[in-house]
Amino acid sequence: MKIDRRRNYYLTIDTETANGLDDPMMYDLGGAIHDRQGNVYETFSFVIYDIFCADRQLFNTAYYAEKRPMYEAQIAAGLRKIVSIHTARRHVADLCKKYNVKAIIAHNARFDYRSTNYTLRYVTKSKSRFFLPYGIPMWDTLKMAQDTICKQPTYIRFCTEHGYTKQNGAPRATAEILYRYITQNVDFIEDHTGLEDVLIEKEIFVRCMKQHKKMRKGAFEK
């Protein structure tokens, strides 16, 4: 496939993790290269050997540890690939270079930034410290949505009608709820697996970009 250099490309990622929320270790990394309109050009679904296989006791701390048989079946069927964290890191870097990626995107991006780095540091005993390629902005669809979709009266009404609100009455902004609103499918259930969640999160990105509104994008913007 010839890459159209006039087009901006983005990499959306999602991690599934073990070891709690403070020091998350990823065992599942999904990603998709896409454009602003949501057209997908490449995807990957990696199970991280260093956590899933080599450190099974650590994997067993995962919130979704009961999904292990599902992962094993999908690996056997070729739907997911077991790789080392070094291979995953190299693949992400190669994709970013190949497509001259404008931004790396995640929903609640600080968490994914932290989980990728913590896992790399854990495996390498801090010899390597940063998983994502240096110099590429990291964008957060949670912040983007909070500044666009979540301010829309139709979204506020949708969340109120279906009970998707915080204790103070403000609308919640999880990827699952945002996708339910975008698709108007209140029965949608997030898979909580890397690539599958990426494919809904890039739709949140597309919807936010279509608003043509001023919004925070950077993962570390306040």
Side-chain angles (χ1 to χ4, degrees), residues 106-109 140-152 155-156 158-160 163-182 190 192 200-201 204-205 208 216:
H107 198 75
N108 192 16
D140 188 345
T141 50
L142 174 57
K143 285 187 170 66
M144 294 170 70
Q146 287 171 336
D147 289 351
T148 55
I149 299 171
C150 295
K151 292 183 176 181
Q152 296 172 346
Y155 184 75
I156 295 169
F158 176 82
C159 288
T160 301
Y164 305 148
T165 55
K166 302 175 185 177
Q167 286 187 340
N168 64 2
R172 294 169 60 207
T174 66
E176 183 175 83
I177 292 170
L178 285 160
Y179 192 72
R180 286 178 181 179
Y181 170 73
I182 289 169
E190 195 173 5
H192 295 291
I200 74 166
E201 289 166 13
I204 297 169
F205 164 78
C208 290
R216 295 168 298 161

mmCIF file of all heavy atoms in Angstrom, residues 106-109 140-152 155-156 158-160 163-182 190 192 200-201 204-205 208 216:
data_model
loop_
_atom_site.group_PDB
_atom_site.id
_atom_site.type_symbol
_atom_site.label_atom_id
_atom_site.label_comp_id
_atom_site.label_asym_id
_atom_site.label_seq_id
_atom_site.Cartn_x
_atom_site.Cartn_y
_atom_site.Cartn_z
ATOM 1 N N ALA A 106 -4.900 7.843 23.216
ATOM 2 C CA ALA A 106 -5.521 6.846 24.091
ATOM 3 C C ALA A 106 -6.616 7.539 24.890
ATOM 4 O O ALA A 106 -6.622 8.767 25.028
ATOM 5 C CB ALA A 106 -4.497 6.215 25.021
ATOM 6 N N HIS A 107 -7.552 6.772 25.408
ATOM 7 C CA HIS A 107 -8.593 7.307 26.279
ATOM 8 C C HIS A 107 -8.094 7.211 27.708
ATOM 9 O O HIS A 107 -7.758 6.128 28.182
ATOM 10 C CB HIS A 107 -9.895 6.522 26.097
ATOM 11 C CG HIS A 107 -11.100 7.250 26.611
ATOM 12 N ND1 HIS A 107 -11.658 8.320 25.935
ATOM 13 C CD2 HIS A 107 -11.834 7.087 27.733
ATOM 14 C CE1 HIS A 107 -12.695 8.767 26.622
ATOM 15 N NE2 HIS A 107 -12.825 8.045 27.721
ATOM 16 N N ASN A 108 -8.053 8.351 28.381
ATOM 17 C CA ASN A 108 -7.370 8.448 29.679
ATOM 18 C C ASN A 108 -5.896 8.114 29.468
ATOM 19 O O ASN A 108 -5.338 7.181 30.059
ATOM 20 C CB ASN A 108 -8.006 7.534 30.722
ATOM 21 C CG ASN A 108 -7.510 7.813 32.127
ATOM 22 O OD1 ASN A 108 -6.917 8.866 32.395
ATOM 23 N ND2 ASN A 108 -7.720 6.867 33.025
ATOM 24 N N ALA A 109 -5.276 8.879 28.602
ATOM 25 C CA ALA A 109 -3.955 8.555 28.038
ATOM 26 C C ALA A 109 -2.841 8.482 29.074
ATOM 27 O O ALA A 109 -1.865 7.751 28.878
ATOM 28 C CB ALA A 109 -3.589 9.570 26.953
ATOM 29 N N ASP A 140 -5.286 12.712 24.334
ATOM 30 C CA ASP A 140 -6.193 12.015 25.238
ATOM 31 C C ASP A 140 -7.634 12.253 24.803
ATOM 32 O O ASP A 140 -8.140 13.378 24.887
ATOM 33 C CB ASP A 140 -5.972 12.539 26.666
ATOM 34 C CG ASP A 140 -6.730 11.744 27.713
ATOM 35 O OD1 ASP A 140 -7.635 10.971 27.342
ATOM 36 O OD2 ASP A 140 -6.420 11.911 28.903
ATOM 37 N N THR A 141 -8.316 11.201 24.347
ATOM 38 C CA THR A 141 -9.706 11.365 23.905
ATOM 39 C C THR A 141 -10.641 11.646 25.076
ATOM 40 O O THR A 141 -11.748 12.162 24.860
ATOM 41 C CB THR A 141 -10.195 10.126 23.140
ATOM 42 O OG1 THR A 141 -9.915 8.942 23.902
ATOM 43 C CG2 THR A 141 -9.545 10.030 21.774
ATOM 44 N N LEU A 142 -10.236 11.331 26.300
ATOM 45 C CA LEU A 142 -11.058 11.697 27.450
ATOM 46 C C LEU A 142 -11.134 13.212 27.577
ATOM 47 O O LEU A 142 -12.228 13.787 27.696
ATOM 48 C CB LEU A 142 -10.485 11.090 28.732
ATOM 49 C CG LEU A 142 -11.164 11.496 30.040
ATOM 50 C CD1 LEU A 142 -12.650 11.161 30.008
ATOM 51 C CD2 LEU A 142 -10.476 10.849 31.239
ATOM 52 N N LYS A 143 -9.991 13.887 27.528
ATOM 53 C CA LYS A 143 -9.977 15.348 27.602
ATOM 54 C C LYS A 143 -10.693 15.956 26.393
ATOM 55 O O LYS A 143 -11.449 16.931 26.522
ATOM 56 C CB LYS A 143 -8.540 15.863 27.671
ATOM 57 C CG LYS A 143 -7.863 15.676 29.022
ATOM 58 C CD LYS A 143 -6.516 16.369 29.030
ATOM 59 C CE LYS A 143 -5.921 16.410 30.448
ATOM 60 N NZ LYS A 143 -5.588 15.095 30.959
ATOM 61 N N MET A 144 -10.443 15.392 25.227
ATOM 62 C CA MET A 144 -11.086 15.900 24.014
ATOM 63 C C MET A 144 -12.602 15.808 24.130
ATOM 64 O O MET A 144 -13.324 16.751 23.789
ATOM 65 C CB MET A 144 -10.576 15.127 22.799
ATOM 66 C CG MET A 144 -9.095 15.342 22.508
ATOM 67 S SD MET A 144 -8.429 14.214 21.259
ATOM 68 C CE MET A 144 -9.235 14.819 19.779
ATOM 69 N N ALA A 145 -13.083 14.669 24.614
ATOM 70 C CA ALA A 145 -14.527 14.464 24.750
ATOM 71 C C ALA A 145 -15.118 15.379 25.821
ATOM 72 O O ALA A 145 -16.222 15.917 25.657
ATOM 73 C CB ALA A 145 -14.824 13.006 25.068
ATOM 74 N N GLN A 146 -14.402 15.549 26.922
ATOM 75 C CA GLN A 146 -14.889 16.419 27.993
ATOM 76 C C GLN A 146 -15.105 17.848 27.502
ATOM 77 O O GLN A 146 -16.006 18.540 27.977
ATOM 78 C CB GLN A 146 -13.906 16.411 29.166
ATOM 79 C CG GLN A 146 -13.936 15.118 29.974
ATOM 80 C CD GLN A 146 -12.804 15.043 30.989
ATOM 81 O OE1 GLN A 146 -11.768 15.683 30.831
ATOM 82 N NE2 GLN A 146 -12.996 14.246 32.032
ATOM 83 N N ASP A 147 -14.283 18.278 26.544
ATOM 84 C CA ASP A 147 -14.369 19.651 26.043
ATOM 85 C C ASP A 147 -15.304 19.800 24.852
ATOM 86 O O ASP A 147 -15.550 20.933 24.398
ATOM 87 C CB ASP A 147 -12.974 20.151 25.655
ATOM 88 C CG ASP A 147 -12.082 20.390 26.869
ATOM 89 O OD1 ASP A 147 -12.592 20.339 28.003
ATOM 90 O OD2 ASP A 147 -10.877 20.637 26.676
ATOM 91 N N THR A 148 -15.820 18.694 24.332
ATOM 92 C CA THR A 148 -16.700 18.771 23.151
ATOM 93 C C THR A 148 -18.000 17.995 23.391
ATOM 94 O O THR A 148 -19.018 18.578 23.745
ATOM 95 C CB THR A 148 -15.980 18.229 21.900
ATOM 96 O OG1 THR A 148 -15.509 16.888 22.154
ATOM 97 C CG2 THR A 148 -14.800 19.115 21.519
ATOM 98 N N ILE A 149 -17.962 16.689 23.232
ATOM 99 C CA ILE A 149 -19.168 15.858 23.312
ATOM 100 C C ILE A 149 -19.900 16.054 24.636
ATOM 101 O O ILE A 149 -21.125 16.197 24.677
ATOM 102 C CB ILE A 149 -18.814 14.371 23.118
ATOM 103 C CG1 ILE A 149 -18.181 14.133 21.740
ATOM 104 C CG2 ILE A 149 -20.060 13.496 23.277
ATOM 105 C CD1 ILE A 149 -17.609 12.741 21.548
ATOM 106 N N CYS A 150 -19.135 16.049 25.736
ATOM 107 C CA CYS A 150 -19.754 16.065 27.068
ATOM 108 C C CYS A 150 -20.455 17.378 27.391
ATOM 109 O O CYS A 150 -21.226 17.447 28.354
ATOM 110 C CB CYS A 150 -18.709 15.765 28.136
ATOM 111 S SG CYS A 150 -18.025 14.101 28.006
ATOM 112 N N LYS A 151 -20.195 18.404 26.604
ATOM 113 C CA LYS A 151 -20.854 19.693 26.818
ATOM 114 C C LYS A 151 -22.140 19.837 26.012
ATOM 115 O O LYS A 151 -22.875 20.816 26.186
ATOM 116 C CB LYS A 151 -19.886 20.830 26.462
ATOM 117 C CG LYS A 151 -18.710 20.953 27.419
ATOM 118 C CD LYS A 151 -17.833 22.134 27.062
ATOM 119 C CE LYS A 151 -16.706 22.314 28.075
ATOM 120 N NZ LYS A 151 -15.851 23.476 27.744
ATOM 121 N N GLN A 152 -22.401 18.881 25.143
ATOM 122 C CA GLN A 152 -23.568 18.971 24.285
ATOM 123 C C GLN A 152 -24.840 18.617 25.069
ATOM 124 O O GLN A 152 -24.866 17.616 25.794
ATOM 125 C CB GLN A 152 -23.422 18.035 23.085
ATOM 126 C CG GLN A 152 -22.272 18.411 22.172
ATOM 127 C CD GLN A 152 -22.017 17.376 21.089
ATOM 128 O OE1 GLN A 152 -22.510 16.256 21.149
ATOM 129 N NE2 GLN A 152 -21.227 17.757 20.096
ATOM 130 N N TYR A 155 -25.915 15.015 24.793
ATOM 131 C CA TYR A 155 -25.136 14.038 25.569
ATOM 132 C C TYR A 155 -25.517 14.102 27.046
ATOM 133 O O TYR A 155 -25.673 13.061 27.706
ATOM 134 C CB TYR A 155 -23.631 14.285 25.409
ATOM 135 C CG TYR A 155 -22.789 13.239 26.130
ATOM 136 C CD1 TYR A 155 -22.656 11.961 25.602
ATOM 137 C CD2 TYR A 155 -22.150 13.529 27.332
ATOM 138 C CE1 TYR A 155 -21.906 10.990 26.262
ATOM 139 C CE2 TYR A 155 -21.398 12.566 27.993
ATOM 140 C CZ TYR A 155 -21.281 11.298 27.451
ATOM 141 O OH TYR A 155 -20.547 10.338 28.115
ATOM 142 N N ILE A 156 -25.663 15.309 27.558
ATOM 143 C CA ILE A 156 -26.056 15.471 28.961
ATOM 144 C C ILE A 156 -27.404 14.808 29.201
ATOM 145 O O ILE A 156 -27.603 14.085 30.188
ATOM 146 C CB ILE A 156 -26.085 16.966 29.331
ATOM 147 C CG1 ILE A 156 -24.665 17.551 29.246
ATOM 148 C CG2 ILE A 156 -26.659 17.161 30.733
ATOM 149 C CD1 ILE A 156 -24.615 19.060 29.336
ATOM 150 N N PHE A 158 -28.766 12.392 27.363
ATOM 151 C CA PHE A 158 -28.575 10.951 27.187
ATOM 152 C C PHE A 158 -28.068 10.313 28.485
ATOM 153 O O PHE A 158 -28.578 9.278 28.925
ATOM 154 C CB PHE A 158 -27.571 10.721 26.040
ATOM 155 C CG PHE A 158 -27.199 9.289 25.795
ATOM 156 C CD1 PHE A 158 -28.007 8.461 25.037
ATOM 157 C CD2 PHE A 158 -26.012 8.778 26.311
ATOM 158 C CE1 PHE A 158 -27.647 7.142 24.794
ATOM 159 C CE2 PHE A 158 -25.638 7.464 26.077
ATOM 160 C CZ PHE A 158 -26.469 6.639 25.315
ATOM 161 N N CYS A 159 -27.065 10.936 29.102
ATOM 162 C CA CYS A 159 -26.491 10.392 30.332
ATOM 163 C C CYS A 159 -27.481 10.460 31.489
ATOM 164 O O CYS A 159 -27.564 9.531 32.306
ATOM 165 C CB CYS A 159 -25.206 11.139 30.692
ATOM 166 S SG CYS A 159 -23.830 10.760 29.591
ATOM 167 N N THR A 160 -28.240 11.546 31.555
ATOM 168 C CA THR A 160 -29.232 11.688 32.621
ATOM 169 C C THR A 160 -30.324 10.633 32.492
ATOM 170 O O THR A 160 -30.707 9.983 33.480
ATOM 171 C CB THR A 160 -29.851 13.104 32.585
ATOM 172 O OG1 THR A 160 -28.815 14.068 32.744
ATOM 173 C CG2 THR A 160 -30.876 13.271 33.698
ATOM 174 N N GLY A 163 -28.848 7.160 33.425
ATOM 175 C CA GLY A 163 -28.156 7.020 34.699
ATOM 176 C C GLY A 163 -26.645 7.007 34.593
ATOM 177 O O GLY A 163 -25.957 6.500 35.494
ATOM 178 N N TYR A 164 -26.112 7.577 33.530
ATOM 179 C CA TYR A 164 -24.653 7.626 33.339
ATOM 180 C C TYR A 164 -24.098 8.931 33.915
ATOM 181 O O TYR A 164 -23.505 9.738 33.200
ATOM 182 C CB TYR A 164 -24.293 7.531 31.857
ATOM 183 C CG TYR A 164 -24.853 6.342 31.123
ATOM 184 C CD1 TYR A 164 -25.178 6.444 29.770
ATOM 185 C CD2 TYR A 164 -25.045 5.116 31.751
ATOM 186 C CE1 TYR A 164 -25.681 5.354 29.071
ATOM 187 C CE2 TYR A 164 -25.563 4.027 31.058
ATOM 188 C CZ TYR A 164 -25.882 4.162 29.718
ATOM 189 O OH TYR A 164 -26.382 3.089 29.022
ATOM 190 N N THR A 165 -24.337 9.149 35.170
ATOM 191 C CA THR A 165 -23.913 10.404 35.789
ATOM 192 C C THR A 165 -23.114 10.147 37.058
ATOM 193 O O THR A 165 -23.235 9.100 37.689
ATOM 194 C CB THR A 165 -25.136 11.282 36.136
ATOM 195 O OG1 THR A 165 -26.033 10.522 36.960
ATOM 196 C CG2 THR A 165 -25.854 11.744 34.893
ATOM 197 N N LYS A 166 -22.295 11.140 37.407
ATOM 198 C CA LYS A 166 -21.543 11.092 38.651
ATOM 199 C C LYS A 166 -22.453 11.503 39.807
ATOM 200 O O LYS A 166 -23.597 11.922 39.591
ATOM 201 C CB LYS A 166 -20.337 12.033 38.568
ATOM 202 C CG LYS A 166 -19.388 11.746 37.426
ATOM 203 C CD LYS A 166 -18.290 12.806 37.350
ATOM 204 C CE LYS A 166 -17.402 12.613 36.137
ATOM 205 N NZ LYS A 166 -16.386 13.692 36.026
ATOM 206 N N GLN A 167 -21.941 11.404 41.018
ATOM 207 C CA GLN A 167 -22.746 11.780 42.190
ATOM 208 C C GLN A 167 -23.200 13.224 42.144
ATOM 209 O O GLN A 167 -24.266 13.573 42.641
ATOM 210 C CB GLN A 167 -21.954 11.522 43.478
ATOM 211 C CG GLN A 167 -21.844 10.043 43.834
ATOM 212 C CD GLN A 167 -21.211 9.824 45.204
ATOM 213 O OE1 GLN A 167 -20.539 10.699 45.724
ATOM 214 N NE2 GLN A 167 -21.435 8.653 45.775
ATOM 215 N N ASN A 168 -22.387 14.087 41.512
ATOM 216 C CA ASN A 168 -22.759 15.508 41.426
ATOM 217 C C ASN A 168 -23.674 15.808 40.244
ATOM 218 O O ASN A 168 -23.996 16.963 39.980
ATOM 219 C CB ASN A 168 -21.510 16.383 41.365
ATOM 220 C CG ASN A 168 -20.680 16.142 40.091
ATOM 221 O OD1 ASN A 168 -21.057 15.344 39.238
ATOM 222 N ND2 ASN A 168 -19.560 16.830 39.978
ATOM 223 N N GLY A 169 -24.076 14.766 39.524
ATOM 224 C CA GLY A 169 -24.986 14.942 38.394
ATOM 225 C C GLY A 169 -24.316 15.162 37.062
ATOM 226 O O GLY A 169 -24.981 15.172 36.018
ATOM 227 N N ALA A 170 -22.986 15.348 37.048
ATOM 228 C CA ALA A 170 -22.253 15.566 35.789
ATOM 229 C C ALA A 170 -22.222 14.279 34.974
ATOM 230 O O ALA A 170 -22.176 13.175 35.537
ATOM 231 C CB ALA A 170 -20.837 16.036 36.084
ATOM 232 N N PRO A 171 -22.240 14.385 33.647
ATOM 233 C CA PRO A 171 -22.203 13.179 32.809
ATOM 234 C C PRO A 171 -20.858 12.461 32.910
ATOM 235 O O PRO A 171 -19.812 13.107 32.999
ATOM 236 C CB PRO A 171 -22.431 13.721 31.396
ATOM 237 C CG PRO A 171 -21.984 15.141 31.453
ATOM 238 C CD PRO A 171 -22.300 15.615 32.842
ATOM 239 N N ARG A 172 -20.901 11.147 32.928
ATOM 240 C CA ARG A 172 -19.671 10.363 32.905
ATOM 241 C C ARG A 172 -19.122 10.321 31.484
ATOM 242 O O ARG A 172 -19.852 10.552 30.519
ATOM 243 C CB ARG A 172 -19.924 8.951 33.431
ATOM 244 C CG ARG A 172 -20.306 8.934 34.913
ATOM 245 C CD ARG A 172 -20.804 7.573 35.342
ATOM 246 N NE ARG A 172 -19.777 6.559 35.123
ATOM 247 C CZ ARG A 172 -20.036 5.270 34.904
ATOM 248 N NH1 ARG A 172 -21.289 4.854 34.848
ATOM 249 N NH2 ARG A 172 -19.064 4.412 34.736
ATOM 250 N N ALA A 173 -17.823 10.015 31.382
ATOM 251 C CA ALA A 173 -17.175 10.087 30.069
ATOM 252 C C ALA A 173 -16.283 8.874 29.823
ATOM 253 O O ALA A 173 -15.202 8.997 29.260
ATOM 254 C CB ALA A 173 -16.371 11.372 29.951
ATOM 255 N N THR A 174 -16.741 7.694 30.242
ATOM 256 C CA THR A 174 -15.979 6.492 29.915
ATOM 257 C C THR A 174 -16.081 6.228 28.417
ATOM 258 O O THR A 174 -17.020 6.685 27.748
ATOM 259 C CB THR A 174 -16.512 5.267 30.672
ATOM 260 O OG1 THR A 174 -17.840 4.963 30.201
ATOM 261 C CG2 THR A 174 -16.546 5.509 32.183
ATOM 262 N N ALA A 175 -15.139 5.472 27.891
ATOM 263 C CA ALA A 175 -15.174 5.139 26.467
ATOM 264 C C ALA A 175 -16.451 4.372 26.135
ATOM 265 O O ALA A 175 -17.066 4.584 25.078
ATOM 266 C CB ALA A 175 -13.938 4.321 26.096
ATOM 267 N N GLU A 176 -16.871 3.490 27.034
ATOM 268 C CA GLU A 176 -18.077 2.697 26.796
ATOM 269 C C GLU A 176 -19.308 3.578 26.661
ATOM 270 O O GLU A 176 -20.106 3.429 25.729
ATOM 271 C CB GLU A 176 -18.267 1.701 27.933
ATOM 272 C CG GLU A 176 -19.467 0.777 27.754
ATOM 273 C CD GLU A 176 -19.536 -0.271 28.847
ATOM 274 O OE1 GLU A 176 -20.066 0.041 29.947
ATOM 275 O OE2 GLU A 176 -19.047 -1.388 28.620
ATOM 276 N N ILE A 177 -19.470 4.540 27.577
ATOM 277 C CA ILE A 177 -20.648 5.409 27.543
ATOM 278 C C ILE A 177 -20.603 6.337 26.336
ATOM 279 O O ILE A 177 -21.622 6.546 25.658
ATOM 280 C CB ILE A 177 -20.747 6.212 28.849
ATOM 281 C CG1 ILE A 177 -21.071 5.267 30.013
ATOM 282 C CG2 ILE A 177 -21.812 7.304 28.744
ATOM 283 C CD1 ILE A 177 -20.956 5.907 31.379
ATOM 284 N N LEU A 178 -19.442 6.895 26.040
ATOM 285 C CA LEU A 178 -19.316 7.757 24.868
ATOM 286 C C LEU A 178 -19.663 6.997 23.592
ATOM 287 O O LEU A 178 -20.343 7.526 22.700
ATOM 288 C CB LEU A 178 -17.895 8.331 24.787
ATOM 289 C CG LEU A 178 -17.597 9.445 25.791
ATOM 290 C CD1 LEU A 178 -16.086 9.604 25.970
ATOM 291 C CD2 LEU A 178 -18.211 10.770 25.332
ATOM 292 N N TYR A 179 -19.211 5.755 23.499
ATOM 293 C CA TYR A 179 -19.502 4.965 22.300
ATOM 294 C C TYR A 179 -20.987 4.608 22.229
ATOM 295 O O TYR A 179 -21.571 4.568 21.146
ATOM 296 C CB TYR A 179 -18.639 3.712 22.280
ATOM 297 C CG TYR A 179 -18.660 2.991 20.945
ATOM 298 C CD1 TYR A 179 -18.019 3.530 19.839
ATOM 299 C CD2 TYR A 179 -19.337 1.784 20.789
ATOM 300 C CE1 TYR A 179 -18.041 2.878 18.613
ATOM 301 C CE2 TYR A 179 -19.361 1.124 19.577
ATOM 302 C CZ TYR A 179 -18.719 1.675 18.489
ATOM 303 O OH TYR A 179 -18.743 1.036 17.275
ATOM 304 N N ARG A 180 -21.591 4.354 23.377
ATOM 305 C CA ARG A 180 -23.036 4.114 23.391
ATOM 306 C C ARG A 180 -23.784 5.326 22.836
ATOM 307 O O ARG A 180 -24.756 5.182 22.086
ATOM 308 C CB ARG A 180 -23.516 3.822 24.817
ATOM 309 C CG ARG A 180 -23.144 2.445 25.336
ATOM 310 C CD ARG A 180 -23.609 2.254 26.779
ATOM 311 N NE ARG A 180 -23.241 0.937 27.280
ATOM 312 C CZ ARG A 180 -23.497 0.499 28.514
ATOM 313 N NH1 ARG A 180 -24.120 1.306 29.371
ATOM 314 N NH2 ARG A 180 -23.122 -0.706 28.896
ATOM 315 N N TYR A 181 -23.325 6.502 23.209
ATOM 316 C CA TYR A 181 -23.961 7.726 22.718
ATOM 317 C C TYR A 181 -23.729 7.897 21.222
ATOM 318 O O TYR A 181 -24.671 8.188 20.468
ATOM 319 C CB TYR A 181 -23.404 8.932 23.474
ATOM 320 C CG TYR A 181 -23.817 10.257 22.891
ATOM 321 C CD1 TYR A 181 -25.118 10.736 23.041
ATOM 322 C CD2 TYR A 181 -22.900 11.039 22.180
ATOM 323 C CE1 TYR A 181 -25.497 11.960 22.499
ATOM 324 C CE2 TYR A 181 -23.269 12.262 21.650
ATOM 325 C CZ TYR A 181 -24.572 12.715 21.810
ATOM 326 O OH TYR A 181 -24.946 13.925 21.270
ATOM 327 N N ILE A 182 -22.493 7.696 20.784
ATOM 328 C CA ILE A 182 -22.163 7.876 19.369
ATOM 329 C C ILE A 182 -22.983 6.938 18.494
ATOM 330 O O ILE A 182 -23.470 7.318 17.427
ATOM 331 C CB ILE A 182 -20.648 7.666 19.142
ATOM 332 C CG1 ILE A 182 -19.859 8.839 19.748
ATOM 333 C CG2 ILE A 182 -20.323 7.522 17.652
ATOM 334 C CD1 ILE A 182 -18.364 8.598 19.817
ATOM 335 N N GLU A 190 -18.224 -2.770 26.412
ATOM 336 C CA GLU A 190 -16.816 -2.704 26.023
ATOM 337 C C GLU A 190 -16.149 -4.055 26.278
ATOM 338 O O GLU A 190 -16.396 -4.700 27.301
ATOM 339 C CB GLU A 190 -16.129 -1.612 26.835
ATOM 340 C CG GLU A 190 -14.779 -1.177 26.314
ATOM 341 C CD GLU A 190 -14.235 0.022 27.080
ATOM 342 O OE1 GLU A 190 -14.856 0.447 28.066
ATOM 343 O OE2 GLU A 190 -13.180 0.528 26.672
ATOM 344 N N HIS A 192 -12.936 -4.655 26.821
ATOM 345 C CA HIS A 192 -11.784 -4.569 27.731
ATOM 346 C C HIS A 192 -10.663 -5.498 27.274
ATOM 347 O O HIS A 192 -10.034 -6.200 28.054
ATOM 348 C CB HIS A 192 -12.198 -4.852 29.174
ATOM 349 C CG HIS A 192 -13.140 -3.811 29.704
ATOM 350 N ND1 HIS A 192 -12.745 -2.515 29.965
ATOM 351 C CD2 HIS A 192 -14.474 -3.877 29.977
ATOM 352 C CE1 HIS A 192 -13.796 -1.822 30.399
ATOM 353 N NE2 HIS A 192 -14.839 -2.616 30.410
ATOM 354 N N ILE A 200 -13.089 1.333 19.234
ATOM 355 C CA ILE A 200 -14.153 2.238 19.666
ATOM 356 C C ILE A 200 -13.576 3.596 20.070
ATOM 357 O O ILE A 200 -14.210 4.628 19.865
ATOM 358 C CB ILE A 200 -15.021 1.634 20.796
ATOM 359 C CG1 ILE A 200 -14.290 1.617 22.122
ATOM 360 C CG2 ILE A 200 -15.524 0.259 20.430
ATOM 361 C CD1 ILE A 200 -15.194 1.358 23.300
ATOM 362 N N GLU A 201 -12.369 3.590 20.611
ATOM 363 C CA GLU A 201 -11.769 4.853 21.052
ATOM 364 C C GLU A 201 -11.397 5.747 19.869
ATOM 365 O O GLU A 201 -11.471 6.977 19.964
ATOM 366 C CB GLU A 201 -10.563 4.572 21.947
ATOM 367 C CG GLU A 201 -10.990 4.011 23.310
ATOM 368 C CD GLU A 201 -9.869 3.407 24.116
ATOM 369 O OE1 GLU A 201 -8.684 3.629 23.758
ATOM 370 O OE2 GLU A 201 -10.157 2.708 25.105
ATOM 371 N N ILE A 204 -14.353 7.766 19.021
ATOM 372 C CA ILE A 204 -14.516 8.927 19.893
ATOM 373 C C ILE A 204 -13.639 10.066 19.391
ATOM 374 O O ILE A 204 -14.065 11.228 19.329
ATOM 375 C CB ILE A 204 -14.165 8.554 21.345
ATOM 376 C CG1 ILE A 204 -15.138 7.493 21.864
ATOM 377 C CG2 ILE A 204 -14.178 9.793 22.242
ATOM 378 C CD1 ILE A 204 -14.729 6.865 23.187
ATOM 379 N N PHE A 205 -12.412 9.736 19.000
ATOM 380 C CA PHE A 205 -11.505 10.730 18.416
ATOM 381 C C PHE A 205 -12.132 11.373 17.176
ATOM 382 O O PHE A 205 -12.134 12.606 17.031
ATOM 383 C CB PHE A 205 -10.178 10.058 18.050
ATOM 384 C CG PHE A 205 -9.311 10.836 17.112
ATOM 385 C CD1 PHE A 205 -8.555 11.905 17.561
ATOM 386 C CD2 PHE A 205 -9.251 10.512 15.764
ATOM 387 C CE1 PHE A 205 -7.762 12.647 16.692
ATOM 388 C CE2 PHE A 205 -8.457 11.229 14.882
ATOM 389 C CZ PHE A 205 -7.714 12.301 15.351
ATOM 390 N N CYS A 208 -14.945 13.740 18.120
ATOM 391 C CA CYS A 208 -14.419 14.982 18.713
ATOM 392 C C CYS A 208 -13.857 15.915 17.643
ATOM 393 O O CYS A 208 -14.107 17.126 17.663
ATOM 394 C CB CYS A 208 -13.324 14.659 19.735
ATOM 395 S SG CYS A 208 -13.918 13.877 21.254
ATOM 396 N N ARG A 216 -8.859 20.631 24.657
ATOM 397 C CA ARG A 216 -7.568 20.102 25.099
ATOM 398 C C ARG A 216 -7.338 18.782 24.375
ATOM 399 O O ARG A 216 -8.264 17.995 24.198
ATOM 400 C CB ARG A 216 -7.579 19.866 26.605
ATOM 401 C CG ARG A 216 -7.717 21.114 27.460
ATOM 402 C CD ARG A 216 -8.015 20.734 28.901
ATOM 403 N NE ARG A 216 -9.278 20.011 28.979
ATOM 404 C CZ ARG A 216 -9.634 19.233 30.008
ATOM 405 N NH1 ARG A 216 -8.814 19.060 31.030
ATOM 406 N NH2 ARG A 216 -10.807 18.627 30.006
#
